[in-house]
Structures are given as C-alpha cells and as structure tokens.
Amino acid sequence: MKILSIETSCDETAVSLIEAKGEFPSATYEILGDALWSQIDIHREYGGVFPAIAKREHAATIVPLLEKVISEADCTDKTYTPEIDTALAEQIKKLLEREPGLADQLLTFHTEHGAQEIDLIAVTSGPGLEPALWVGVNFARALALLWNTPIVPVNHMEGHVLASIYDAELDDQLTPIPFPAISLLISGGHTELILMRDWGKYEKIGQTRDDAVGEAYDKVARLLDIPYPGGPVVAGKAEEARKRKLPEYAKLPAPMLHSGDLDFSFSGLKTAVRYAVQNKSLTEDEVLAVARDFEDAVTTVLLKKTLAAIDEYGAKTLIVGGGVSANQHIKRMFEATLLTSHEDVTSYFPRRGLSTDNSIMIALAGHARAASAFAPNSTDIIRADGNRSLA
Ligand code: KG4
Ligand code: ZN
C-alpha cells in the first residue's frame, strides 16, 4: 500500500510517500519520497509561531514539496490523461478558495504530472494550529478528489508515538512492543502521559496544567536572550555546564513532584528562572548554569512522574516522543534510571529526524488507521480540529 502523508500542524510543512508492505503493526515500510520545509526562520522574528503566517507559508510550499516527493518516488499513473473536467476543477477551486493561488498551483501540477498511483492519503487533522491544519486538510481533500484516492485524517500525537518505535535498523518496521505501554509525549504544545493497553488504545493518565515542556524550554531561552525556538540551544548550554561541572546558579523548584497524581506544571519553574535572572547581567558561565539547573528540574519531574505511571499500570514499555525527546540529557537519564530500577521495562526514543514534526510519522499513523479511511468524494466529514485529543 502506497501512502502519501501530509503534515501542516505547526511550523513544518512536510510531505512523504511511503510504501507499507503487510498489515499494521507488522508491516515493513519503505520511504519512497520525503520532503520537509521548516518555517522557523520566518517565525523567529516574532518570537513564536504566528498562525496566519504559518498558514500562508504552508500554502506556498506544499505543491513544491509534493513535486519533490513525486519526482523521487515516480508513481505516475501511466494510463492517465491529464484533462480535468470543468466540474472537478471548480470543486477543487472551491475547496481551496481560502488559500490564494493554491488551487491554480495544484491544477498546474496535475496537468504536468498526471494522477499518481497512491492507495491512501493520510493528513494531520489535529491537534495543532487550526489555520495551519486546514491548509493540509483541504489540500489532502483536493488531492483525494483529483486522484480518486481514499483519505484518512490522522492524530498528530499518534504519529509521535509511532515515530518513536519506528526502527530503521530493524528492517524498517515498528518494534514489536509488549503492552501495557506508557507514552510520554513532550513537545512544544503537549506534555502528556498516555497509557496504551494495545495498539490504538489510548488513555490519558497525566498532562500539564499549564505550559508544555517544549514551551517552557522556549520561554526560558527567551529569558536568556536566545532566539525562538531556543529549546535545543538551552539543551546545548546545559550540556556544556555539565561537562564543565559549573556550580549551581539557582535553586529551582521541581514542580508537582509530590502532587500525588500524574499531572505536570511548568509555568512556576519558568517564573522561578525569571526571578533568578531578571535585572542581572549574567556571565556566560552563569547562563550555562541556569540552563543546566532548569533542565535538571525538568528531567527530575518528567522522570518521577513517568516512573510512577509505569509502576501504577505495570507497564512493560516506555515510549518517549515529541520534539523534546530529542534531548540527550533526558534520554540518558531515563535510560540509566530504567536500567537500575526497572530493568524489565524497555524504553524507545525516536531516531534522529523523527522527534520533531515530520510526515513519515503521519504515514505510519495513517497506515494504523487505514481501515477507517473515507472515500474520496465523502471528504466533507474530514475537518481540522486544533484540540483533537488522543484519548
Ligand atoms: O514536536 P515538535 O516539533 O512540535 C510540536 O508539536 O510542538 O516540538 C517542538 C518543541 C520546541 O518547543 C523545541 O524547543 C523543543 O521541541 N525541542 C527541544 C529539543 N529539540 C526540540 N527541547 C529540548 N531539548 C531539545 N534537544
Ligand atoms: Zn509535534
């Protein structure tokens, strides 16, 4: 089964074409084409992602990305004549009327490249920034009509879960994991603990009451004059402080450590960093130390709550996903702690390139959900939902 996947939930526009051989979850996957464009340089000057600009940039780049993927994969339907009947062209124009120029770009693309032999179109329908999500959703609906291909709306967070167990070394398969599994999803918009009793069965058992971890990293970065998104830079500074064994700069709280539930809160920690640094001119060594003190506090809370979840539900597998799972210190601490106290629990982190947003994970989630695909002409049901929840 060939799956074209589209991701536009935040500030990355991504399109992939993946061939799944076999049934989910034991299929092998081959990446036939993959293209991603990050808008970060554009949003940086605003200090965060600006939804109207994200939407505009998705609409401007999605056809070139599709073109790149299609040329890598070469699955043009050779029997197809690129004539589009007027009614269909009108339908496409209506679907894409909110994205100026996109319908014309797509129709030109179609005339040049013809229909593609694709079995399923998977598109992120949420959670995310709604104006940004709509670009991907409407574009996917238009493609479904043009190519007469079924379409499946995908939950972005299910993508993050599957990305973490997608093992390129193991014949491009999902690692067969024992259940129950706990998923710790840590990104710019989410911090949640999810219980998985089986494939596709998700139960939310903990979440942040305010800021997400990635958001806290980015806000602390701003306090330290590091441009958006500063998470990875803060992480780099923290590593440097550790390497040089710099003394503690600030005593920071590890919030919610003793709350007795599996919820998180990071806004108090961010405020504590603000009090520790405001109206002071920090030396570069002090900046490194604050970054490390912050990261240590974050890691302590994430670890303690995740271990509590593992114990409470007798989990055999830990899946860590989302942008912050790229953090090497968090990964090391989780792996070392599990090794000493929970050696029967195996942990999975995404391989390089699959922790932050991408469309390969959307293809994997699309394959998981292939049975609930919609027919191409019933696409009215598919909507973007910024608050779509996994459980
Ligand atoms: O999953 P993602 O790409 O987008 C969302 O769905 O939110 O996550 C992006 C977030 C940003 O807040 C970014 O600062 C953070 O992940 N991030 C990191 C690291 N790499 C990305 N935070 C800490 N350490 C990292 N190495
Ligand atoms: Zn994400």
Side-chain angles (χ1 to χ4, degrees):
M1 165 184 269
K2 284 186 184 150
I3 304 169
L4 182 92
S5 58
I6 295 169
E7 156 65 36
T8 66
S9 70
C10 190
D11 57 355
E12 259 97 28
T13 322
V15 180
S16 312
L17 183 56
I18 286 186
E19 182 160 15
K21 295 171 195 146
E23 296 295 315
F24 182 89
S26 52
T28 57
Y29 297 96
E30 187 182 347
I31 300 169
L32 303 177
D34 182 32
L36 181 144
W37 189 74
S38 172
Q39 308 172 357
I40 279 177
D41 289 341
I42 295 165
H43 294 289
R44 189 165 285 130
E45 59 183 292
Y46 303 95
V49 180
F50 205 85
I53 292 173
K55 170 184 146 80
R56 185 193 73 195
E57 293 301 316
H58 287 309
T61 48
I62 200 154
V63 171
L65 293 180
L66 176 67
E67 212 149 16
K68 178 172 180 281
V69 165
I70 292 303
S71 62
E72 281 170 17
D74 186 28
C75 44
T76 303
D77 179 350
K78 309 284 188 301
T79 63
Y80 184 80
T81 44
E83 307 288 304
I84 308 170
D85 73 68
T86 335
L88 181 56
E90 284 312 311
Q91 234 180 320
I92 302 289
K93 284 186 181 150
K94 180 109 192 65
L95 252 179
L96 298 177
E97 68 187 354
R98 284 161 177 268
E99 272 64 68
L102 185 55
D104 288 340
Q105 273 194 70
L106 176 58
L107 292 171
T108 307
F109 166 87
H110 187 73
T111 313
E112 285 170 7
H113 297 270
Q116 304 297 314
E117 287 181 321
I118 282 160
D119 304 291
L120 183 67
I121 295 169
V123 60
T124 306
S125 67
L129 301 171
E130 227 158 85
L133 287 164
W134 271 116
V135 178
V137 165
N138 283 334
F139 188 71
R141 291 165 68 188
L143 279 181
L145 282 174
L146 262 183
W147 297 346
N148 195 27
T149 307
I151 176 170
V152 67
V154 158
N155 187 308
H156 179 86
M157 303 315 284
E158 182 165 44
H160 276 304
V161 171
L162 296 178
S164 301
I165 50 169
Y166 176 56
D167 191 340
E169 270 110 63
L170 195 91
D171 288 337
D172 292 292
Q173 284 183 314
L174 297 179
T175 308
I177 49 164
F179 293 100
I182 296 289
S183 258
L184 171 67
L185 298 177
I186 40 180
S187 69
H190 288 79
T191 299
E192 37 189 51
L193 279 163
I194 304 282
L195 169 67
M196 282 174 77
R197 294 191 195 275
D198 202 346
W199 295 108
K201 302 245 178 311
Y202 302 105
E203 210 177 300
K204 198 185 286 175
I205 54 174
Q207 62 189 317
T208 182
R209 296 187 183 170
D210 39 59
D211 292 354
V213 193
E215 190 181 355
Y217 264 95
D218 297 337
K219 286 179 175 170
V220 164
R222 200 181 320 175
L223 291 171
L224 299 174
D225 285 330
I226 299 164
Y228 177 84
V233 180
V234 170
K237 290 191 186 296
E239 287 290 71
E240 177 71 18
R242 257 176 229 116
K243 205 164 76 194
R244 292 179 42 206
K245 298 194 169 51
L246 294 177
E248 179 183 83
Y249 176 78
K251 205 150 224 51
L252 298 175
M256 306 280 286
L257 206 54
H258 305 291
S259 66
D261 56 22
L262 298 172
D263 283 349
F264 302 93
S265 160
F266 292 102
S267 83
L269 175 57
K270 168 204 66 196
T271 306
V273 173
R274 172 176 295 127
Y275 285 132
V277 304
Q278 75 184 358
N279 304 324
K280 298 195 180 92
S281 62
L282 270 62
T283 65
E284 181 53 24
D285 279 8
E286 286 170 338
V287 170
L288 300 181
V290 173
R292 191 253 346 259
D293 297 344
F294 164 75
E295 188 165 271
D296 284 351
V298 164
T299 310
T300 302
V301 183
L302 290 177
L303 197 49
K304 156 118 198 228
K305 296 280 171 151
T306 306
L307 290 180
I310 289 174
D311 291 339
E312 188 169 337
Y313 293 95
K316 301 189 175 94
T317 302
L318 171 65
I319 297 169
V320 185
V324 184
S325 67
N327 186 286
Q328 291 305 305
H329 177 68
I330 293 175
K331 182 173 183 219
R332 270 197 317 267
M333 291 301 286
F334 268 73
E335 287 176 344
T337 309
L338 283 182
L339 210 59
T340 49
S341 67
H342 293 69
E343 57 178 15
D344 51 334
V345 180
T346 310
S347 62
Y348 297 95
F349 285 75
R351 65 183 165 95
R352 240 182 120 71
L354 291 193
S355 45
T356 46
D357 292 347
N358 63 85
S359 48
I360 291 172
M361 70 184 201
I362 302 309
L364 297 173
H367 191 225
R369 299 282 155 192
S372 37
F374 292 94
N377 56 358
S378 61
T379 55
D380 286 358
I381 313 158
I382 299 167
R383 306 180 56 78
D385 175 2
N387 296 317
R388 188 173 172 184
S389 175
L390 195 53

